[in-house]
């Protein structure tokens, strides 16, 4: 199917500095639009895609890495191109057009598809390393106190949110708290040679250059999904070392853990019917912009804070922080 040519809105802020480009909502594409704004603001990813020698890849519209490279590089140039190539490529790979999607599912779908469809394994590893948090899971038997550990990695921090007025710090604290496994959740202890109650927890081994935080705002109860609109505050900058000091493994060795927010994916509406928009920080000026499909506006940090949520308010859903 031929890509339909669309108009791109290009905003300029005073002083001639380029602002950010809006993206036309095409077939309910607000979810993908917000993610493309977020990926576009992740210039480390754009640079890696741009460095990929993709001349041998068939331009048949099925390779998401190629479509992302073409779009993201052009999006930052004087000659932007339509993002319909990406929308059709996602459609060919199972993310249907004309359908509302969940932003965090599509975000990981795109990242995973880039990694599986890209033939340069060194670049694939560099892209994964951008987002990769290495973690150690420990399980301590409550009968004999022996500890088993397992190293793995995450590409984001999925944080559960609570009903009370809460903060990113509270969410991080509860993510790294140990919890008891008992009853059906008992684990096999090699020392006791039976399933025993235990205490399980996660500790960080390394933190990534790009920290993606997912605020888990959807809860499924008896087959019915509802959205949690609770207010969650988050800072523009924070030091992970002092914000979540209980989060680290004894093998954690990084000393600079200062992060700065550069994009917020926002959801308005209910679980069944809603709209995605984005706040992104401009690379050159450092100013915040609000992108609602094709409309873009320069905004202040206090405007971004309106996405903390609360009754009938837009809610931040994904937070993208960059290590300073
Ligand atoms: Zn044991």
């Amino acid at each position: 199917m031929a890509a339909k040519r669309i108009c791109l809105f290009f905003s300029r802020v005073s002083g001639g500095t380029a602002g950010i480009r809006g993206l036309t909502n095409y077939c309910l594409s607000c979810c993908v639009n917000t993610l493309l704004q977020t990926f576009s603001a992740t210039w480390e990813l754009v640079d890696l895609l741009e460095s990929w020698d993709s001349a041998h890849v068939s331009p048949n519209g099925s390779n998401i890495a190629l479509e992302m490279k073409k779009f993201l590089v052009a999006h930052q140039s004087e000659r932007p191109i339509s993002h319909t190539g990406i929308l059709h490529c996602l459609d060919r790979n199972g993310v249907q057009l004309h359908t509302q999607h969940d932003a965090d599912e599509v975000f990981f779908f795109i990242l995973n598809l880039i990694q599986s469809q890209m033939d340069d394994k060194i670049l694939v590893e560099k892209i994964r390393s951008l987002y990769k948090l290495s973690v150690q899971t420990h399980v301590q038997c409550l009968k004999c106190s022996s500890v088993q550990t397992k190293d793995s990695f995450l590409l984001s921090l999925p944080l559960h949110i609570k009903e009370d007025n809460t903060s990113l710090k509270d969410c991080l604290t509860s993510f790294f708290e140990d919890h008891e496994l008992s009853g059906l959740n008992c684990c096999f202890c090699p020392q006791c040679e039976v399933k025993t109650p235990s205490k399980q927890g996660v500790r960080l081994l390394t933190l990534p250059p790009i920290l993606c935080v997912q605020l888990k705002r959807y809860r499924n109860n008896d087959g019915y999904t509802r959205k949690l609109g609770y207010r969650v505050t988050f800072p523009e900058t924070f030091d992970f070392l002092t914000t979540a000091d209980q989060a680290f493994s004894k093998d954690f060795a990084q000393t600079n853990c200062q992060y700065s927010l550069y994009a917020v994916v926002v959801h308005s509406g209910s679980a069944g019917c809603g709209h995605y928009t984005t706040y992104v920080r401009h690379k050159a000026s450092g100013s915040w912009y609000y992108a609602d499909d094709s409309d873009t506006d320069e905004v202040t940090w206090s405007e971004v804070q309106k996405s903390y949520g609360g009754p009938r308010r837009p809610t931040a859903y994904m937070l993208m922080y960059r290590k300073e």
Side-chain angles (χ1 to χ4, degrees):
M1 186 179 176
K4 192 189 277 184
R5 191 76 198 166
I6 58 159
C7 296
L8 286 161
F9 182 87
F10 183 60
S11 68
R12 286 192 173 270
V13 296
S14 57
T17 309
I20 65 157
R21 289 192 171 97
L23 295 168
T24 297
N25 189 323
Y26 179 76
C27 306
L28 299 176
S29 70
C30 65
C31 166
V32 177
N33 290 2
T34 60
L35 294 177
L36 292 179
Q37 293 291 7
T38 304
F39 283 126
S40 179
T42 312
W43 57 78
E44 298 87 344
L45 175 71
V46 182
D47 289 348
L48 288 172
L49 287 171
E50 190 171 14
S51 71
W52 177 38
D53 178 6
S54 55
H56 58 288
V57 178
S58 166
N60 62 6
S62 295
N63 188 297
I64 194 70
L66 182 61
E67 296 304 320
M68 288 283 284
K69 173 183 171 175
K70 284 193 300 193
F71 170 77
L72 289 174
V73 171
H75 193 62
Q76 301 190 345
S77 74
E78 292 298 315
R79 302 180 67 186
I81 61 170
S82 157
H83 64 305
T84 50
I86 290 178
L87 297 173
H88 288 289
C89 181
L90 287 171
D91 186 57
R92 285 191 187 98
N93 285 284
V95 181
Q96 291 170 342
L97 285 166
H98 311 282
T99 308
Q100 289 274 12
H101 293 287
D102 182 314
D104 102 63
E105 284 177 14
V106 177
F107 176 79
F108 289 107
F109 186 86
I110 291 174
L111 271 189
N112 289 331
L113 202 55
I114 287 176
Q115 293 174 60
S116 64
Q117 291 186 334
M118 210 175 191
D119 52 1
D120 185 332
K121 296 307 165 199
I122 294 172
L123 267 184
V124 166
E125 189 49 44
K126 285 183 180 175
I127 290 172
R128 186 178 302 136
S129 297
L130 265 186
Y131 297 92
K132 181 171 157 184
L133 302 104
S134 301
V135 294
Q136 186 170 74
T137 307
H138 62 264
V139 178
Q140 182 172 32
C141 172
L142 293 177
K143 287 232 159 81
C144 72
S145 298
S146 67
V147 179
Q148 301 173 69
T149 60
K150 187 181 169 197
D151 293 355
S152 58
F153 71 88
L154 305 169
L155 293 178
S156 72
L157 274 180
L159 302 182
H160 289 281
I161 61 174
K162 293 179 181 162
E163 205 159 324
D164 322 329
N165 187 1
T166 183
S167 67
L168 180 67
K169 183 181 168 71
D170 297 333
C171 295
L172 286 171
T173 301
S174 86
F175 182 84
F176 290 103
E177 263 167 9
D178 290 351
H179 56 274
E180 276 196 31
L181 300 174
S182 57
L184 286 173
N185 294 321
C186 282
C187 290
F188 181 79
C189 170
Q191 296 292 323
C192 302
E193 297 187 325
V194 286
K195 283 189 171 184
T196 57
S198 54
K199 193 172 70 173
Q200 187 185 51
V202 178
R203 297 288 181 273
L204 288 165
L205 293 167
T206 63
L207 278 166
I210 300 294
L211 176 67
C212 172
V213 174
Q214 295 166 265
L215 299 173
K216 305 295 284 179
R217 288 195 176 274
Y218 297 103
R219 189 163 295 167
N220 199 306
N221 283 337
D222 303 325
Y224 172 73
T225 303
R226 73 184 179 106
K227 179 179 167 184
L228 309 178
Y230 310 138
R231 181 179 160 89
V232 181
T233 63
F234 49 85
E236 198 173 16
T237 59
F238 77 100
D239 185 345
F240 212 120
L241 287 173
T242 53
T243 304
D245 53 2
Q246 78 291 7
F248 302 97
S249 151
K250 60 178 172 28
D251 298 322
F252 186 89
Q254 290 166 291
T255 50
N256 169 27
C257 300
Q258 190 75 31
Y259 281 91
S260 182
L261 188 68
Y262 72 91
V264 182
V265 171
V266 181
H267 185 263
S268 312
S270 65
C273 178
H275 180 56
Y276 285 105
T277 53
T278 339
Y279 290 105
V280 278
R281 213 168 179 162
H282 190 268
K283 182 179 179 182
S285 67
S287 304
W288 281 102
Y289 282 81
Y290 181 58
D292 180 351
D293 292 324
S294 53
D295 294 332
T296 63
D297 261 324
E298 188 176 359
V299 294
T300 59
W301 166 241
S302 57
E303 187 74 23
V304 182
Q305 289 172 296
K306 289 182 179 170
S307 65
Y308 284 166
R312 291 177 294 283
R313 297 187 67 128
T315 49
Y317 186 42
M318 297 172 70
L319 308 173
M320 307 299 298
Y321 283 93
R322 171 179 283 114
K323 198 188 263 187
E324 287 178 358

